[in-house]
Amino acid sequence: MIASATLACAGCATAQPTLKEAFKEHFLVGAALNESHFTGRDAVQTAIIKKQFNTITPENVIKWARIHPNPERFAFGPADRYVEFGERNGMFIIGHTLVWHSQTPSWVFENGKGGAADREMLLARMSNHIHTVVGRYKGRVKGWDVVNEALNEDGSLRQSRWLKIIGQDYLIKAFEFAHAADPDAELYYNDFSLEAPAKREGAIALVKNLQTAGVKIAGIGTQMHVKLDGPSTQMVDDTLTEFGKLGVKVMVTELDVDVLPAASRDRGADVSLRFAQNPALNPYTNGIPPAIQQAFNNRYASLFALYVKHSKVVDRVTFWGVTDGDSWLNDWPIRGRTSYPLLFDRSGEPKLALSSVLETAKKTHVK
Ligand code: G3I
């Protein structure tokens, strides 16, 4: 084992271009932010964000449960701070997310009399939520993950309460409400595991259905919460190729590379998955072995080589976090693990993988 601090790239900070500079001809590069980032509470990470990224996504503060916890109450404080931070720093600001099966309070789906809301009630709530949230940041938040994770792994529509109560047109309605609230905002569909062929096909059908219905969809987001060994480079390549034919922007929206042993055969990013703590599944508490580190560098390099190859359609690449210490993967699907999925270590030092990523920007591309 070697300590993670020694894996940092000495001198990188001064000798290298930043991510946003290196890829400026290719795509935007961003990160998901939590409150300590945009309130300045974590000065080290805030400095990294300002220096490296030109687009930001809110990790949690615009999710329904956070911004609209009760029927009559919107809690805009943290979201306002997030948007102000992005504006102060000239960043392309993303809103995440308007309609999701997760992190949505139960009252949304209930009628207040002990039963389920009906279609009209739920549509009215969706409309009110989207108009209020998108309307508040009209012209400031430039792109919205309108619907998040609507698909099952086999490519069929997830049996969420949105689908069960409203029916399949809940997706169309969500996009229509968002477009009405801010006609200039870019509207996206976002999901994980879209490199798997069945789910990829489901996403393509979903986007085509929206387009056929005349919906203004500007982009599709493939989250890319990936492992060291999967999905394969070929699967990623195929997905970017197929999505590139849809006539919408393609975005990598939640990138991280998980080096820890899998807790189950499920390779997705479903937040509801939970497993008990087990030391065998948390092997790198004192740092990661050189072989794993090398595999991590190679994995990031091959992913970015693909993003550059497809930069004609890839518009944005966003990491799901800034430094390893803050990543959601320290607590999912097992709480309290030591994870190493990002390009900056727990001290905020750039890892060698950052250099591997930056190297790929030198490759030729067509935009
Ligand atoms: O803030 C509270 C804290 O006060 C409380 O003590 C603690 C107890 O568990 O919970 C804290 O909230 C947690 C929050 O993250 C902030 O850390 C929630 O429990 C936890 O559920 C929440 O997890 C987030 C998850 O989405 C669910 O919303 C992760 O941070 C976030 O990274 C993750 O992001 C999702 C994307 O939105 C969609 N795609 C998958 C991706 C990863 O799951």
Side-chain angles (χ1 to χ4, degrees):
M1 295 279 174
I2 51 178
S4 58
T6 65
L7 299 170
C9 172
C12 283
T14 48
Q16 293 182 141
T18 64
L19 285 162
K20 66 183 177 190
E21 287 160 2
F23 292 101
K24 67 176 186 293
E25 302 296 326
H26 303 75
F27 37 71
L28 299 172
V29 188
L33 307 193
N34 63 45
E35 282 171 89
S36 65
H37 299 140
F38 54 78
T39 56
R41 209 158 61 222
D42 186 328
V44 171
Q45 295 201 63
T46 304
I48 295 172
I49 294 159
K50 289 182 183 177
K51 182 173 173 185
Q52 298 285 347
F53 303 116
N54 49 20
T55 175
I56 53 173
T57 302
E59 185 173 6
N60 287 307
V61 298
I62 298 188
K63 289 173 181 171
W64 194 311
R66 292 289 302 274
I67 203 166
H68 191 180
N70 302 307
E72 305 307 329
R73 190 168 80 85
F74 286 85
F76 286 122
D80 286 356
R81 301 292 92 71
Y82 161 77
V83 174
E84 288 156 10
F85 176 86
E87 286 182 327
R88 269 201 312 279
N89 293 291
M91 293 160 162
F92 189 87
I93 304 170
I94 303 295
H96 170 90
T97 175
L98 297 169
V99 174
W100 191 20
H101 64 278
S102 182
Q103 310 298 303
T104 306
S106 4
W107 63 260
V108 175
F109 305 103
E110 293 164 357
N111 65 6
K113 299 176 193 156
D118 62 16
R119 173 181 159 91
E120 297 319 312
M121 181 179 277
L122 189 52
L123 276 174
R125 286 201 178 124
M126 182 201 271
S127 171
N128 174 47
H129 178 80
I130 291 178
H131 276 96
T132 307
V133 175
V134 175
R136 183 175 182 90
Y137 302 113
K138 184 177 179 184
R140 302 171 72 197
V141 169
K142 304 291 186 191
W144 286 94
D145 288 338
V146 178
V147 179
N148 197 42
E149 302 173 5
L151 293 167
N152 291 315
E153 301 315 285
D154 66 1
S156 61
L157 281 179
R158 185 189 288 273
Q159 288 295 311
S160 68
R161 284 177 286 184
W162 294 111
L163 179 70
K164 285 181 185 160
I165 296 174
I166 296 177
Q168 290 198 12
D169 63 340
Y170 87 86
L171 290 125
I172 295 174
K173 294 290 184 190
F175 277 83
E176 286 178 349
F177 295 147
H179 181 54
D182 186 353
D184 294 328
E186 294 188 347
L187 307 180
Y188 315 132
Y189 176 71
N190 188 49
D191 211 330
F192 59 81
S193 297
L194 297 183
E195 289 64 42
K199 199 165 180 181
R200 175 199 304 145
E201 290 310 314
I204 290 168
L206 184 154
V207 171
K208 286 184 172 169
N209 282 341
L210 290 171
Q211 290 171 326
T212 303
V215 159
K216 184 181 175 281
I217 175 167
I220 181 162
T222 175
Q223 294 183 9
M224 297 221 65
H225 295 290
V226 302
K227 308 288 285 185
L228 277 180
D229 60 351
S232 69
T233 304
Q234 188 63 54
M235 289 162 82
V236 177
D237 201 356
D238 290 348
T239 288
L240 296 176
T241 300
E242 293 306 314
F243 285 180
K245 297 175 186 166
L246 286 168
V248 296
K249 293 178 177 177
V250 181
M251 284 153 299
V252 176
T253 51
E254 304 187 13
L255 178 63
D256 46 29
V257 175
D258 189 2
V259 304
L260 296 180
S264 77
R265 292 179 60 199
D266 191 308
R267 288 293 175 117
D270 202 314
V271 285
S272 63
L273 279 180
R274 284 280 161 211
F275 297 94
Q277 290 185 337
N278 172 356
L281 297 177
N282 187 23
Y284 310 135
T285 50
N286 294 318
I288 59 178
I292 301 290
Q293 180 66 35
Q294 190 57 52
F296 178 81
N297 298 348
N298 295 344
R299 179 68 159 152
Y300 260 116
S302 60
L303 289 173
F304 269 81
L306 285 175
Y307 304 154
V308 169
K309 173 181 167 188
H310 290 277
S311 61
K312 202 167 178 180
V313 293
V314 172
D315 189 63
R316 167 167 66 94
V317 177
T318 296
F319 294 87
W320 205 241
V322 180
T323 65
D324 286 342
D326 264 4
S327 167
W328 73 295
L329 289 169
N330 293 299
D331 285 312
W332 181 93
I334 299 173
R335 286 200 196 286
R337 292 202 293 178
T338 308
S339 192
Y340 300 85
L342 296 164
L343 295 186
F344 296 88
D345 71 14
R346 284 173 164 70
S347 314
E349 292 298 324
K351 299 185 196 173
L352 289 170
L354 175 65
S355 311
S356 311
V357 162
L358 291 168
E359 276 299 306
T360 67
K362 296 177 183 161
K363 302 218 167 90
T364 52
H365 68 284
V366 191
K367 187 79 176 172

